[in-house]
Amino acid sequence: NHLARHQVAWLLGVPAAAAVVVAAVDRYTVAHPYLLADNRHYTFYVWKDVLGRSLLARRALVPAYLAAGAVLLSAAREGQPPLWVGGWAACTAAVLVPAALVELRYFTTPFV
């Protein structure tokens, strides 16, 4: 019975999460002016040569985003109560969502 509930959760949760991530990628992907102007960082080249070329290139990364989110949530849940995990996710979103320019170093904030 537990396995069946787990499978149903995956069957409903994964497509729903994928739809949310695709919508977020389509609607909220923004190229910050600093990203486009500073060719000293690898993010400039990733955007110029890959992500900035087409919507399909950005959508192709959705499975990687979902996998990364699953790994992060799994790691956050180990030994932590659900309220703590929810708070951690909310604080991480509060840092990343309004950030106009996101670099790799911003993703280390929740782990420090």
Side-chain angles (χ1 to χ4, degrees):
N1 192 11
H2 174 71
L3 183 60
R5 280 188 287 162
H6 188 67
Q7 288 174 333
V8 168
W10 270 95
L11 288 173
L12 296 176
V14 171
V20 168
V21 173
V22 166
V25 165
D26 288 356
R27 184 166 177 144
Y28 300 109
T29 300
V30 177
H32 192 277
Y34 291 160
L35 174 70
L36 301 174
D38 191 356
N39 66 352
R40 295 175 297 162
H41 302 285
Y42 73 92
T43 52
F44 169 84
Y45 295 100
V46 170
W47 182 263
K48 180 179 76 79
D49 296 334
V50 181
L51 299 177
R53 293 200 180 264
S54 72
L55 179 62
L56 184 59
R58 291 188 292 276
R59 282 185 178 176
L61 291 172
V62 167
Y65 298 151
L66 291 172
V71 168
L72 286 172
L73 280 177
S74 176
R77 278 191 227 164
E78 285 186 21
Q80 299 296 338
L83 183 60
W84 186 92
V85 175
W88 173 80
C91 289
T92 301
V95 169
L96 294 176
V97 169
L101 180 61
V102 178
E103 291 184 8
L104 184 62
R105 63 183 169 197
Y106 298 144
F107 288 100
T108 60
T109 303
F111 295 107
V112 175

